[in-house]
mmCIF file of all heavy atoms in Angstrom:
data_model
loop_
_atom_site.group_PDB
_atom_site.id
_atom_site.type_symbol
_atom_site.label_atom_id
_atom_site.label_comp_id
_atom_site.label_asym_id
_atom_site.label_seq_id
_atom_site.Cartn_x
_atom_site.Cartn_y
_atom_site.Cartn_z
ATOM 1 N N GLU A 1 -3.491 24.786 18.641
ATOM 2 C CA GLU A 1 -3.846 24.683 20.052
ATOM 3 C C GLU A 1 -4.003 23.243 20.527
ATOM 4 O O GLU A 1 -3.700 22.930 21.685
ATOM 5 C CB GLU A 1 -5.117 25.481 20.340
ATOM 6 C CG GLU A 1 -4.929 26.992 20.257
ATOM 7 C CD GLU A 1 -6.181 27.755 20.626
ATOM 8 O OE1 GLU A 1 -7.213 27.096 20.930
ATOM 9 O OE2 GLU A 1 -6.138 28.995 20.633
ATOM 10 N N ASP A 2 -4.491 22.370 19.659
ATOM 11 C CA ASP A 2 -4.706 20.980 20.072
ATOM 12 C C ASP A 2 -3.673 20.022 19.475
ATOM 13 O O ASP A 2 -3.818 18.805 19.568
ATOM 14 C CB ASP A 2 -6.118 20.506 19.712
ATOM 15 C CG ASP A 2 -6.476 20.731 18.255
ATOM 16 O OD1 ASP A 2 -5.602 21.175 17.479
ATOM 17 O OD2 ASP A 2 -7.648 20.463 17.885
ATOM 18 N N PHE A 3 -2.596 20.545 18.909
ATOM 19 C CA PHE A 3 -1.607 19.669 18.272
ATOM 20 C C PHE A 3 -0.896 18.769 19.287
ATOM 21 O O PHE A 3 -0.580 17.618 18.985
ATOM 22 C CB PHE A 3 -0.578 20.495 17.492
ATOM 23 C CG PHE A 3 -1.047 20.943 16.122
ATOM 24 C CD1 PHE A 3 -2.390 20.900 15.769
ATOM 25 C CD2 PHE A 3 -0.135 21.414 15.184
ATOM 26 C CE1 PHE A 3 -2.818 21.316 14.509
ATOM 27 C CE2 PHE A 3 -0.551 21.826 13.921
ATOM 28 C CZ PHE A 3 -1.891 21.777 13.593
ATOM 29 N N GLU A 4 -0.623 19.286 20.485
ATOM 30 C CA GLU A 4 0.025 18.443 21.486
ATOM 31 C C GLU A 4 -0.900 17.297 21.898
ATOM 32 O O GLU A 4 -0.450 16.166 22.122
ATOM 33 C CB GLU A 4 0.440 19.269 22.703
ATOM 34 C CG GLU A 4 1.553 20.264 22.443
ATOM 35 C CD GLU A 4 2.894 19.616 22.130
ATOM 36 O OE1 GLU A 4 3.035 18.386 22.315
ATOM 37 O OE2 GLU A 4 3.810 20.333 21.676
ATOM 38 N N ALA A 5 -2.195 17.573 21.985
ATOM 39 C CA ALA A 5 -3.159 16.524 22.319
ATOM 40 C C ALA A 5 -3.223 15.469 21.218
ATOM 41 O O ALA A 5 -3.329 14.265 21.499
ATOM 42 C CB ALA A 5 -4.542 17.136 22.550
ATOM 43 N N VAL A 6 -3.161 15.913 19.968
ATOM 44 C CA VAL A 6 -3.137 14.963 18.849
ATOM 45 C C VAL A 6 -1.900 14.079 18.947
ATOM 46 O O VAL A 6 -1.973 12.853 18.807
ATOM 47 C CB VAL A 6 -3.132 15.696 17.496
ATOM 48 C CG1 VAL A 6 -3.059 14.702 16.349
ATOM 49 C CG2 VAL A 6 -4.366 16.558 17.338
ATOM 50 N N GLY A 7 -0.753 14.695 19.189
ATOM 51 C CA GLY A 7 0.486 13.933 19.286
ATOM 52 C C GLY A 7 0.452 12.923 20.415
ATOM 53 O O GLY A 7 0.900 11.776 20.254
ATOM 54 N N GLU A 8 -0.073 13.318 21.562
ATOM 55 C CA GLU A 8 -0.172 12.405 22.694
ATOM 56 C C GLU A 8 -1.068 11.218 22.353
ATOM 57 O O GLU A 8 -0.740 10.065 22.654
ATOM 58 C CB GLU A 8 -0.720 13.153 23.906
ATOM 59 C CG GLU A 8 -0.803 12.324 25.165
ATOM 60 C CD GLU A 8 -1.298 13.118 26.361
ATOM 61 O OE1 GLU A 8 -1.254 14.371 26.303
ATOM 62 O OE2 GLU A 8 -1.732 12.499 27.347
ATOM 63 N N ALA A 9 -2.202 11.495 21.708
ATOM 64 C CA ALA A 9 -3.119 10.417 21.331
ATOM 65 C C ALA A 9 -2.491 9.505 20.284
ATOM 66 O O ALA A 9 -2.641 8.271 20.344
ATOM 67 C CB ALA A 9 -4.422 11.013 20.804
ATOM 68 N N PHE A 10 -1.777 10.089 19.325
ATOM 69 C CA PHE A 10 -1.122 9.295 18.288
ATOM 70 C C PHE A 10 -0.077 8.360 18.896
ATOM 71 O O PHE A 10 -0.021 7.171 18.557
ATOM 72 C CB PHE A 10 -0.458 10.224 17.266
ATOM 73 C CG PHE A 10 0.394 9.508 16.249
ATOM 74 C CD1 PHE A 10 -0.179 8.854 15.176
ATOM 75 C CD2 PHE A 10 1.776 9.487 16.384
ATOM 76 C CE1 PHE A 10 0.598 8.181 14.241
ATOM 77 C CE2 PHE A 10 2.567 8.828 15.457
ATOM 78 C CZ PHE A 10 1.982 8.170 14.390
ATOM 79 N N GLU A 11 0.735 8.892 19.777
ATOM 80 C CA GLU A 11 1.774 8.056 20.380
ATOM 81 C C GLU A 11 1.186 6.941 21.230
ATOM 82 O O GLU A 11 1.731 5.835 21.283
ATOM 83 C CB GLU A 11 2.723 8.935 21.200
ATOM 84 C CG GLU A 11 3.578 9.854 20.326
ATOM 85 C CD GLU A 11 4.607 10.630 21.124
ATOM 86 O OE1 GLU A 11 4.778 10.333 22.323
ATOM 87 O OE2 GLU A 11 5.235 11.535 20.547
ATOM 88 N N ALA A 12 0.064 7.224 21.898
ATOM 89 C CA ALA A 12 -0.570 6.198 22.724
ATOM 90 C C ALA A 12 -1.183 5.088 21.878
ATOM 91 O O ALA A 12 -1.137 3.905 22.261
ATOM 92 C CB ALA A 12 -1.645 6.838 23.612
ATOM 93 N N GLU A 13 -1.741 5.450 20.736
ATOM 94 C CA GLU A 13 -2.452 4.466 19.912
ATOM 95 C C GLU A 13 -1.580 3.848 18.817
ATOM 96 O O GLU A 13 -1.656 2.644 18.559
ATOM 97 C CB GLU A 13 -3.678 5.113 19.272
ATOM 98 C CG GLU A 13 -4.550 4.141 18.510
ATOM 99 C CD GLU A 13 -5.886 4.736 18.110
ATOM 100 O OE1 GLU A 13 -6.389 5.632 18.833
ATOM 101 O OE2 GLU A 13 -6.442 4.315 17.072
ATOM 102 N N ILE A 14 -0.754 4.664 18.153
ATOM 103 C CA ILE A 14 0.037 4.183 17.018
ATOM 104 C C ILE A 14 1.508 4.010 17.406
ATOM 105 O O ILE A 14 2.120 2.984 17.111
ATOM 106 C CB ILE A 14 -0.063 5.149 15.820
ATOM 107 C CG1 ILE A 14 -1.534 5.413 15.472
ATOM 108 C CG2 ILE A 14 0.696 4.594 14.619
ATOM 109 C CD1 ILE A 14 -2.325 4.186 15.049
ATOM 110 N N GLY A 15 2.062 5.022 18.041
ATOM 111 C CA GLY A 15 3.444 4.945 18.498
ATOM 112 C C GLY A 15 4.401 5.765 17.668
ATOM 113 O O GLY A 15 4.158 6.046 16.487
ATOM 114 N N ALA A 16 5.491 6.181 18.301
ATOM 115 C CA ALA A 16 6.579 6.919 17.659
ATOM 116 C C ALA A 16 7.870 6.509 18.353
ATOM 117 O O ALA A 16 7.849 5.950 19.450
ATOM 118 C CB ALA A 16 6.354 8.421 17.772
ATOM 119 N N THR A 17 8.974 6.786 17.701
ATOM 120 C CA THR A 17 10.286 6.429 18.258
ATOM 121 C C THR A 17 10.866 7.611 18.999
ATOM 122 O O THR A 17 10.962 8.712 18.456
ATOM 123 C CB THR A 17 11.247 5.997 17.134
ATOM 124 O OG1 THR A 17 10.677 4.895 16.424
ATOM 125 C CG2 THR A 17 12.588 5.584 17.701
ATOM 126 N N LYS A 18 11.262 7.385 20.253
ATOM 127 C CA LYS A 18 11.843 8.431 21.082
ATOM 128 C C LYS A 18 13.336 8.176 21.258
ATOM 129 O O LYS A 18 13.776 7.024 21.346
ATOM 130 C CB LYS A 18 11.178 8.453 22.456
ATOM 131 C CG LYS A 18 9.691 8.741 22.438
ATOM 132 C CD LYS A 18 9.413 10.214 22.182
ATOM 133 C CE LYS A 18 7.944 10.544 22.357
ATOM 134 N NZ LYS A 18 7.671 11.986 22.202
ATOM 135 N N GLY A 19 14.111 9.229 21.341
ATOM 136 C CA GLY A 19 15.543 9.075 21.568
ATOM 137 C C GLY A 19 16.193 10.429 21.775
ATOM 138 O O GLY A 19 15.512 11.464 21.806
ATOM 139 N N THR A 20 17.497 10.410 21.906
ATOM 140 C CA THR A 20 18.263 11.638 22.146
ATOM 141 C C THR A 20 19.272 11.843 21.033
ATOM 142 O O THR A 20 19.994 10.919 20.657
ATOM 143 C CB THR A 20 18.997 11.566 23.494
ATOM 144 O OG1 THR A 20 18.043 11.346 24.537
ATOM 145 C CG2 THR A 20 19.731 12.862 23.771
ATOM 146 N N VAL A 21 19.307 13.046 20.516
ATOM 147 C CA VAL A 21 20.317 13.461 19.547
ATOM 148 C C VAL A 21 21.036 14.646 20.168
ATOM 149 O O VAL A 21 20.402 15.671 20.466
ATOM 150 C CB VAL A 21 19.697 13.845 18.195
ATOM 151 C CG1 VAL A 21 20.760 14.393 17.248
ATOM 152 C CG2 VAL A 21 18.985 12.651 17.570
ATOM 153 N N GLY A 22 22.346 14.525 20.381
ATOM 154 C CA GLY A 22 23.022 15.522 21.190
ATOM 155 C C GLY A 22 22.367 15.526 22.556
ATOM 156 O O GLY A 22 22.198 14.484 23.184
ATOM 157 N N ALA A 23 21.950 16.717 23.003
ATOM 158 C CA ALA A 23 21.218 16.818 24.263
ATOM 159 C C ALA A 23 19.716 16.930 24.055
ATOM 160 O O ALA A 23 18.959 17.068 25.008
ATOM 161 C CB ALA A 23 21.717 18.035 25.039
ATOM 162 N N ALA A 24 19.271 16.847 22.803
ATOM 163 C CA ALA A 24 17.867 17.092 22.471
ATOM 164 C C ALA A 24 17.024 15.834 22.574
ATOM 165 O O ALA A 24 17.413 14.772 22.084
ATOM 166 C CB ALA A 24 17.757 17.664 21.060
ATOM 167 N N GLU A 25 15.863 15.983 23.181
ATOM 168 C CA GLU A 25 14.873 14.921 23.145
ATOM 169 C C GLU A 25 14.205 14.955 21.766
ATOM 170 O O GLU A 25 13.719 15.995 21.330
ATOM 171 C CB GLU A 25 13.834 15.114 24.242
ATOM 172 C CG GLU A 25 14.397 14.999 25.638
ATOM 173 C CD GLU A 25 13.338 15.174 26.714
ATOM 174 O OE1 GLU A 25 12.154 15.323 26.364
ATOM 175 O OE2 GLU A 25 13.706 15.162 27.894
ATOM 176 N N CYS A 26 14.180 13.811 21.096
ATOM 177 C CA CYS A 26 13.719 13.753 19.713
ATOM 178 C C CYS A 26 12.608 12.721 19.543
ATOM 179 O O CYS A 26 12.532 11.739 20.285
ATOM 180 C CB CYS A 26 14.872 13.416 18.783
ATOM 181 S SG CYS A 26 16.172 14.667 18.785
ATOM 182 N N THR A 27 11.783 12.951 18.542
ATOM 183 C CA THR A 27 10.712 12.029 18.193
ATOM 184 C C THR A 27 10.762 11.794 16.695
ATOM 185 O O THR A 27 10.788 12.748 15.911
ATOM 186 C CB THR A 27 9.339 12.606 18.574
ATOM 187 O OG1 THR A 27 9.345 12.990 19.955
ATOM 188 C CG2 THR A 27 8.239 11.579 18.346
ATOM 189 N N LEU A 28 10.768 10.522 16.302
ATOM 190 C CA LEU A 28 10.762 10.129 14.894
ATOM 191 C C LEU A 28 9.423 9.479 14.594
ATOM 192 O O LEU A 28 9.019 8.531 15.272
ATOM 193 C CB LEU A 28 11.911 9.170 14.598
ATOM 194 C CG LEU A 28 12.119 8.755 13.139
ATOM 195 C CD1 LEU A 28 12.500 9.960 12.276
ATOM 196 C CD2 LEU A 28 13.186 7.666 13.043
ATOM 197 N N ILE A 29 8.733 9.981 13.569
ATOM 198 C CA ILE A 29 7.341 9.626 13.329
ATOM 199 C C ILE A 29 7.140 9.235 11.871
ATOM 200 O O ILE A 29 7.680 9.887 10.966
ATOM 201 C CB ILE A 29 6.419 10.840 13.631
ATOM 202 C CG1 ILE A 29 6.698 11.402 15.030
ATOM 203 C CG2 ILE A 29 4.957 10.488 13.464
ATOM 204 C CD1 ILE A 29 6.312 12.861 15.171
ATOM 205 N N ASP A 30 6.340 8.220 11.624
ATOM 206 C CA ASP A 30 5.906 7.900 10.265
ATOM 207 C C ASP A 30 4.869 8.942 9.858
ATOM 208 O O ASP A 30 3.779 9.002 10.436
ATOM 209 C CB ASP A 30 5.312 6.489 10.216
ATOM 210 C CG ASP A 30 4.832 6.129 8.834
ATOM 211 O OD1 ASP A 30 5.663 5.800 7.976
ATOM 212 O OD2 ASP A 30 3.592 6.177 8.604
ATOM 213 N N GLN A 31 5.199 9.768 8.865
ATOM 214 C CA GLN A 31 4.337 10.903 8.546
ATOM 215 C C GLN A 31 2.969 10.514 8.001
ATOM 216 O O GLN A 31 1.951 11.058 8.445
ATOM 217 C CB GLN A 31 5.058 11.865 7.589
ATOM 218 C CG GLN A 31 4.419 13.238 7.500
ATOM 219 C CD GLN A 31 3.893 13.561 6.108
ATOM 220 O OE1 GLN A 31 3.504 12.659 5.365
ATOM 221 N NE2 GLN A 31 3.878 14.832 5.745
ATOM 222 N N PRO A 32 2.853 9.567 7.059
ATOM 223 C CA PRO A 32 1.509 9.224 6.594
ATOM 224 C C PRO A 32 0.611 8.686 7.713
ATOM 225 O O PRO A 32 -0.585 9.006 7.765
ATOM 226 C CB PRO A 32 1.778 8.164 5.517
ATOM 227 C CG PRO A 32 3.146 8.481 5.017
ATOM 228 C CD PRO A 32 3.896 8.923 6.232
ATOM 229 N N SER A 33 1.180 7.889 8.605
ATOM 230 C CA SER A 33 0.382 7.369 9.718
ATOM 231 C C SER A 33 -0.114 8.502 10.605
ATOM 232 O O SER A 33 -1.267 8.502 11.062
ATOM 233 C CB SER A 33 1.204 6.385 10.553
ATOM 234 O OG SER A 33 1.558 5.251 9.800
ATOM 235 N N LEU A 34 0.751 9.474 10.867
ATOM 236 C CA LEU A 34 0.361 10.614 11.692
ATOM 237 C C LEU A 34 -0.740 11.430 11.023
ATOM 238 O O LEU A 34 -1.734 11.794 11.663
ATOM 239 C CB LEU A 34 1.573 11.507 11.954
ATOM 240 C CG LEU A 34 1.271 12.808 12.703
ATOM 241 C CD1 LEU A 34 0.778 12.538 14.119
ATOM 242 C CD2 LEU A 34 2.498 13.719 12.717
ATOM 243 N N VAL A 35 -0.573 11.724 9.742
ATOM 244 C CA VAL A 35 -1.559 12.539 9.036
ATOM 245 C C VAL A 35 -2.913 11.832 8.997
ATOM 246 O O VAL A 35 -3.958 12.453 9.257
ATOM 247 C CB VAL A 35 -1.066 12.873 7.613
ATOM 248 C CG1 VAL A 35 -2.172 13.534 6.794
ATOM 249 C CG2 VAL A 35 0.160 13.781 7.678
ATOM 250 N N ASP A 36 -2.920 10.547 8.694
ATOM 251 C CA ASP A 36 -4.181 9.804 8.643
ATOM 252 C C ASP A 36 -4.852 9.770 10.008
ATOM 253 O O ASP A 36 -6.074 9.955 10.130
ATOM 254 C CB ASP A 36 -3.939 8.377 8.153
ATOM 255 C CG ASP A 36 -3.504 8.307 6.702
ATOM 256 O OD1 ASP A 36 -3.642 9.321 5.987
ATOM 257 O OD2 ASP A 36 -3.022 7.236 6.283
ATOM 258 N N PHE A 37 -4.059 9.531 11.059
ATOM 259 C CA PHE A 37 -4.611 9.498 12.416
ATOM 260 C C PHE A 37 -5.178 10.860 12.793
ATOM 261 O O PHE A 37 -6.290 10.966 13.334
ATOM 262 C CB PHE A 37 -3.523 9.082 13.407
ATOM 263 C CG PHE A 37 -3.976 9.100 14.841
ATOM 264 C CD1 PHE A 37 -4.552 7.972 15.408
ATOM 265 C CD2 PHE A 37 -3.824 10.241 15.629
ATOM 266 C CE1 PHE A 37 -4.980 7.986 16.743
ATOM 267 C CE2 PHE A 37 -4.253 10.262 16.950
ATOM 268 C CZ PHE A 37 -4.828 9.133 17.507
ATOM 269 N N ALA A 38 -4.405 11.921 12.532
ATOM 270 C CA ALA A 38 -4.824 13.258 12.928
ATOM 271 C C ALA A 38 -6.060 13.712 12.163
ATOM 272 O O ALA A 38 -6.916 14.413 12.728
ATOM 273 C CB ALA A 38 -3.680 14.248 12.713
ATOM 274 N N GLU A 39 -6.180 13.323 10.912
ATOM 275 C CA GLU A 39 -7.375 13.673 10.135
ATOM 276 C C GLU A 39 -8.625 13.148 10.839
ATOM 277 O O GLU A 39 -9.606 13.874 11.031
ATOM 278 C CB GLU A 39 -7.266 13.088 8.729
ATOM 279 C CG GLU A 39 -8.453 13.403 7.834
ATOM 280 C CD GLU A 39 -8.322 12.795 6.449
ATOM 281 O OE1 GLU A 39 -7.235 12.301 6.097
ATOM 282 O OE2 GLU A 39 -9.335 12.793 5.710
ATOM 283 N N SER A 40 -8.600 11.896 11.245
ATOM 284 C CA SER A 40 -9.746 11.316 11.955
ATOM 285 C C SER A 40 -9.919 11.950 13.336
ATOM 286 O O SER A 40 -11.055 12.177 13.784
ATOM 287 C CB SER A 40 -9.558 9.802 12.101
ATOM 288 O OG SER A 40 -9.506 9.170 10.835
ATOM 289 N N TRP A 41 -8.812 12.230 14.002
ATOM 290 C CA TRP A 41 -8.875 12.832 15.335
ATOM 291 C C TRP A 41 -9.540 14.201 15.275
ATOM 292 O O TRP A 41 -10.392 14.529 16.119
ATOM 293 C CB TRP A 41 -7.476 12.938 15.921
ATOM 294 C CG TRP A 41 -7.431 13.251 17.386
ATOM 295 C CD1 TRP A 41 -7.317 12.386 18.419
ATOM 296 C CD2 TRP A 41 -7.488 14.568 17.980
ATOM 297 N NE1 TRP A 41 -7.305 13.048 19.631
ATOM 298 C CE2 TRP A 41 -7.406 14.395 19.387
ATOM 299 C CE3 TRP A 41 -7.616 15.857 17.473
ATOM 300 C CZ2 TRP A 41 -7.453 15.465 20.279
ATOM 301 C CZ3 TRP A 41 -7.659 16.934 18.359
ATOM 302 C CH2 TRP A 41 -7.568 16.734 19.728
ATOM 303 N N PHE A 42 -9.162 15.014 14.303
ATOM 304 C CA PHE A 42 -9.760 16.341 14.175
ATOM 305 C C PHE A 42 -11.268 16.225 13.920
ATOM 306 O O PHE A 42 -12.058 16.987 14.478
ATOM 307 C CB PHE A 42 -9.100 17.121 13.048
ATOM 308 C CG PHE A 42 -7.713 17.599 13.346
ATOM 309 C CD1 PHE A 42 -6.684 17.455 12.418
ATOM 310 C CD2 PHE A 42 -7.402 18.194 14.567
ATOM 311 C CE1 PHE A 42 -5.401 17.890 12.698
ATOM 312 C CE2 PHE A 42 -6.120 18.633 14.857
ATOM 313 C CZ PHE A 42 -5.119 18.481 13.909
ATOM 314 N N GLU A 43 -11.664 15.300 13.076
ATOM 315 C CA GLU A 43 -13.085 15.130 12.778
ATOM 316 C C GLU A 43 -13.875 14.712 14.010
ATOM 317 O O GLU A 43 -15.045 15.080 14.170
ATOM 318 C CB GLU A 43 -13.254 14.111 11.656
ATOM 319 C CG GLU A 43 -12.745 14.610 10.314
ATOM 320 C CD GLU A 43 -12.795 13.551 9.214
ATOM 321 O OE1 GLU A 43 -13.067 12.373 9.531
ATOM 322 O OE2 GLU A 43 -12.580 13.918 8.044
#
C-alpha cells in the first residue's frame, strides 16, 4: 500500500534513472540503495 510513497521519497532523496524502452516508461534503480532507504523509511 505504501510502496509508491517509498519510491517517490527514494527518488526525491537518492535518485533513480528514468527513460523509455519501446513505448514503456522505465525506471532503473540501484537495488541495495533502495532496500537500505526503504528499511529506514518503513521504520
